[in-house]
Amino acid sequence: MRLSVFGIALENIKARKRRYVIIMISISVVTGILVLTFILGIGAMYSLQKGLSRLGADLLVVPKESLVNLKSALITGEPSSFYLDDILVTRIRELPGVKRVSAQVFLVSATGECCILGNSFLIGFNPQDDFTVLPWVRDKLSEKFPEDGAIVGHDTPWKLGETIFFYNVPLRVWGKLERTGIGIYDNAIFFHINKAYEMSDKSQTAPVPLKPLRGKVSAILIQLEPGAKIPFVVFSIFKLDPNVKVVTTGNIITEARQILIGVIYGIFAIVLALIVSNMLNINTVFSAIVNERLREIGILRAIGATKFDVFKLILYESIITCLLGGILGVLIGLIMFRIFQRSWIFYLKLVNIPFTLPPIWIILLIFIAILLITFVISLFGAYLPARRASEVLPYDAIREVA
């Protein structure tokens, strides 16, 4: 009669619950940490890619002094206070290889009677040549963007149709962007660039006036023609004005991603140490189990079990225990994330890391990957004890125990 190795493995687990529960708990702790790490890490990377890709530009031209501030602005919503002459926009538009050019002006709201309380990231843009803001509006009042309209980020408190004031300039909320996790979008208010100049003019009587902005822009976004040579266009821009910095949006994403990867690698180093310790723990526990069950193994061999049957028996017990612990850990990790979701996101924002929850299919892939990791842990952890058990001779095992 053919032995049901899987059935015997289940019965052994039921008969020796204590040791297997210890293994399950240790595995669930590791997988729970993995769930949190993967969701937070991939969510941050997803948010970064999703948000910065919406710049829609191949090149970004900024004042040399504002490059560091610009990266901070893109991630956290902190504005730059350096500006370029707007004549450069027209001159860049005439360069070979340039398809579209759009300028933006960055401002900060003040706190006082003239304005809405609290700081906001204000961005003036030109709707006529825009290709980075209007395409990403989720909700809007009408098809055409009005002169006094405003587009607000997901994390701003205003609703469509509300009127807001900055430096005594009224703006009507016309559209709202979906959440990206990137400060320049989620915390921003976009409006016509002429309104930005009007705010600058009116702020001159405020306690903390803005810099005079007429004829100035903060950044110039450039979309290139298909096949255009980036080095050639960059060199042409430097010839127009050597006091600017030209960066590709890809470089910004890459540098920001490297910061995230550094943080995530630190977490993964801790998780890797936990994985290795669990493998050693499983190895130790199953080595003890094999020593205690020499007589049982000898009897199984005597009634017809092959070496491979014994090998599978130990591995099945390890796999079943670890997978149950993995499933439990996934559930615990998901519950912990849901309970403390606001705290996790708040902490990430404190260290300037963007976050938005990835799509459900990515989360499902995370769960599958974690269960595969758990499966590998069970195999490597129990391999040596299983191999030793399979090499036990029936007579020697029964005699040694007897």
Side-chain angles (χ1 to χ4, degrees):
M1 183 177 67
R2 187 174 179 81
L3 293 171
S4 175
V5 179
F6 187 80
I8 296 173
L10 285 177
E11 291 301 321
N12 285 334
I13 292 172
K14 292 177 183 177
R16 300 173 175 85
K17 292 187 180 73
R18 183 177 298 177
R19 282 187 173 174
Y20 292 104
V21 166
I22 292 173
I23 295 174
M24 285 176 59
I25 291 173
S26 64
I27 289 293
S28 66
V29 170
V30 173
T31 52
I33 295 173
L34 278 172
V35 167
L36 291 174
T37 303
F38 272 108
I39 290 179
L40 294 175
I42 293 176
M45 298 289 285
Y46 174 78
S47 174
L48 183 69
Q49 187 69 38
K50 179 182 177 183
L52 294 186
S53 64
R54 289 188 175 185
L55 285 173
D58 299 300
L59 298 174
L60 206 56
V61 180
V62 294
K64 277 185 177 179
E65 302 87 350
S66 72
L67 184 59
V68 174
N69 300 61
L70 177 67
K71 292 173 184 175
S72 178
L74 290 171
I75 303 300
T76 65
E78 299 173 6
S80 168
S81 57
F82 301 96
Y83 300 94
L84 300 165
D85 291 330
D86 63 359
I87 188 65
L88 188 60
V89 177
T90 303
R91 298 175 69 187
I92 290 176
R93 188 176 283 119
E94 296 170 353
L95 291 176
V98 173
K99 182 179 180 180
R100 304 171 76 180
V101 178
S102 181
Q104 295 182 352
V105 177
F106 301 160
L107 306 88
V108 180
S109 71
T111 300
E113 294 180 358
C114 66
C115 315
I116 289 177
L117 296 178
N119 288 336
S120 300
F121 191 10
L122 308 181
I123 304 177
F125 75 107
N126 191 341
Q128 280 70 43
D129 56 28
D130 171 71
F131 56 91
T132 64
V133 180
L134 291 174
W136 304 107
V137 176
R138 184 188 65 185
D139 304 312
K140 53 187 176 181
L141 293 177
S142 60
E143 287 302 315
K144 186 177 181 181
F145 183 72
E147 181 76 20
D148 64 345
I151 300 169
V152 297
H154 180 275
D155 292 347
T156 57
W158 303 293
K159 298 179 181 179
L160 297 183
E162 284 190 55
T163 300
I164 53 180
F165 293 84
F166 293 100
Y167 296 99
N168 291 322
V169 175
L171 299 171
R172 187 166 181 249
V173 178
W174 171 83
K176 191 152 192 169
L177 300 170
E178 65 176 287
R179 176 172 171 75
T180 66
I182 301 296
I184 196 171
Y185 290 104
D186 291 345
N187 302 310
I189 301 103
F190 294 88
F191 45 84
H192 201 291
I193 197 167
N194 290 335
K195 293 294 181 181
Y197 296 144
E198 184 180 345
M199 290 179 193
S200 172
D201 295 340
K202 291 189 175 182
S203 75
Q204 301 309 309
T205 58
V208 183
L210 297 170
K211 290 183 178 180
L213 296 179
R214 288 284 177 183
K216 302 291 183 181
V217 296
S218 301
I220 303 172
L221 295 93
I222 303 171
Q223 192 177 73
L224 301 179
E225 296 280 0
K229 303 295 184 182
I230 291 180
F232 173 77
V233 177
V234 171
F235 179 75
S236 300
I237 293 171
F238 281 137
K239 286 183 65 178
L240 295 176
D241 189 344
N243 296 315
V244 298
K245 184 71 176 180
V246 183
V247 293
T248 65
T249 52
N251 285 342
I252 295 175
I253 294 174
T254 299
E255 292 183 19
R257 185 186 290 120
Q258 287 172 348
I259 296 173
L260 291 180
I261 288 174
V263 175
I264 294 169
Y265 275 179
I267 299 173
F268 273 128
I270 298 173
V271 173
L272 182 61
L274 289 173
I275 290 174
V276 172
S277 67
N278 266 272
M279 286 183 182
L280 295 175
N281 181 43
I282 292 170
N283 182 278
T284 302
V285 171
F286 275 94
S287 293
I289 289 173
V290 168
N291 287 333
E292 292 175 0
R293 290 165 53 188
L294 285 177
R295 181 181 177 82
E296 175 189 325
I297 293 170
I299 292 172
L300 287 173
R301 290 294 311 280
I303 64 175
T306 64
K307 288 184 177 182
F308 189 56
D309 287 332
V310 174
F311 182 80
K312 287 192 298 182
L313 174 65
I314 303 301
L315 284 187
Y316 281 166
E317 292 178 15
S318 176
I319 291 169
I320 293 169
T321 306
C322 291
L323 285 181
L324 288 174
I327 293 170
L328 178 63
V330 166
L331 294 175
I332 291 173
L334 187 59
I335 292 170
M336 292 293 290
F337 175 78
R338 294 298 297 176
I339 292 174
F340 299 104
Q341 182 174 353
R342 291 187 178 181
S343 300
W344 298 122
I345 295 173
F346 176 76
Y347 173 75
L348 289 173
K349 286 185 176 181
L350 284 181
V351 294
N352 294 339
I353 296 178
F355 179 83
T356 188
L357 196 66
I360 187 67
W361 66 270
I362 292 181
I363 295 177
L364 289 175
L365 286 179
I366 290 173
F367 293 165
I368 294 171
I370 289 173
L371 291 179
L372 286 175
I373 291 172
T374 304
F375 178 75
V376 171
I377 291 174
S378 68
L379 287 180
F380 279 91
Y383 176 78
L384 291 178
R387 183 176 176 181
R388 190 165 68 86
S390 69
E391 294 173 351
V392 171
L393 297 175
Y395 176 76
D396 292 340
I398 296 172
R399 186 183 62 179
E400 184 178 338
V401 175

